[in-house]
Amino acid sequence: MAKTLEILFHETLKDIYYAENQILKALPKMAEAANSEDLKAAFEKHHAETQGQIDRLEQVFEIIGEEPTGKKCDAIEGILAEGEEIMNEFEGEPALDAGLASAAQAVEHYEIARYGTLAKWAEQLDMTDVQALLEATLEEEEATDEALSALAEGRLNEFAVAA
Ligand code: FE
Ligand code: FE
Ligand code: FE
């Protein structure tokens, strides 16, 4: 069977479905580790959004007539492992929150790459409803990335430097 864009779309959908489920498990740990109440709140807010993003992906699977299944994503495993490393190595240290915010931004950037591509492919495949679902999530990921930047630039980095 020829490997068409449809197949590539489906494979990439499985990749991000796996990734979102891993992120859903990681965010409460990151919220618990954070010192700053603002950073904690940002992680908690995005945890709730992530559940909604998983629901959207399940709608996409339904539209394309496939079962929601994940396929191991080595990239997200690696990014989340780096986040764990920061949590362990900077526990109780002034730069912990700056490190957590940067780890979370690496996650958002991976997601932005994936959703940006998937939304484009959905457009090329004339799947308007799917495109809209993916773009809704893409906007949440971008807003999260910006919120984390604002927090880091506002207080977290300064605190890490001043201590
Ligand atoms: Fe997400
Ligand atoms: Fe991946
Ligand atoms: Fe996200």
Side-chain angles (χ1 to χ4, degrees):
M1 186 166 62
K3 291 197 171 171
T4 59
L5 190 61
E6 279 93 343
I7 292 170
L8 187 58
F9 179 90
H10 184 210
E11 290 304 305
T12 308
L13 194 65
K14 289 193 273 186
D15 176 275
I16 194 68
Y17 188 65
Y18 178 94
E20 288 288 17
N21 279 286
Q22 297 304 112
I23 295 162
L24 188 72
K25 283 190 262 175
L27 280 167
K29 292 188 226 165
M30 294 171 78
E32 206 189 311
N35 282 315
S36 146
E37 287 305 317
D38 290 346
L39 186 59
K40 256 185 213 300
F43 288 152
E44 280 161 8
K45 178 181 180 215
H46 200 49
H47 182 252
E49 283 174 340
T50 299
Q51 186 57 66
Q53 295 172 352
I54 290 171
D55 294 344
R56 282 195 200 105
L57 288 175
E58 288 170 357
Q59 289 178 59
V60 173
F61 279 109
E62 188 167 356
I63 294 170
I64 67 168
E66 299 283 353
E67 280 300 312
T69 36
K71 184 179 76 175
K72 186 169 183 275
C73 168
D74 293 323
I76 206 68
E77 295 281 345
I79 291 168
L80 292 174
E82 285 188 355
E84 294 251 351
E85 202 178 305
I86 287 171
M87 266 188 253
N88 295 331
E89 289 179 10
F90 284 82
E91 195 185 347
E93 301 294 333
L96 174 68
D97 281 0
L100 285 173
S102 79
Q105 283 191 282
V107 171
E108 296 315 309
H109 291 182
Y110 180 71
E111 294 182 290
I112 288 165
R114 281 286 170 263
Y115 282 108
T117 298
L118 282 166
K120 261 285 164 235
W121 286 344
E123 183 183 4
Q124 279 161 354
L125 294 167
D126 284 320
M127 299 191 292
T128 311
D129 295 354
V130 168
Q131 185 189 348
L133 286 164
L134 295 167
E135 281 174 355
T137 295
L138 179 59
E139 278 171 30
E140 284 176 356
E141 310 295 23
E142 286 169 344
T144 302
D145 180 44
E146 281 163 28
L148 289 167
S149 282
L151 280 179
E153 283 161 24
R155 302 245 327 271
L156 306 181
N157 290 353
E158 261 173 61
F159 183 70
V161 172

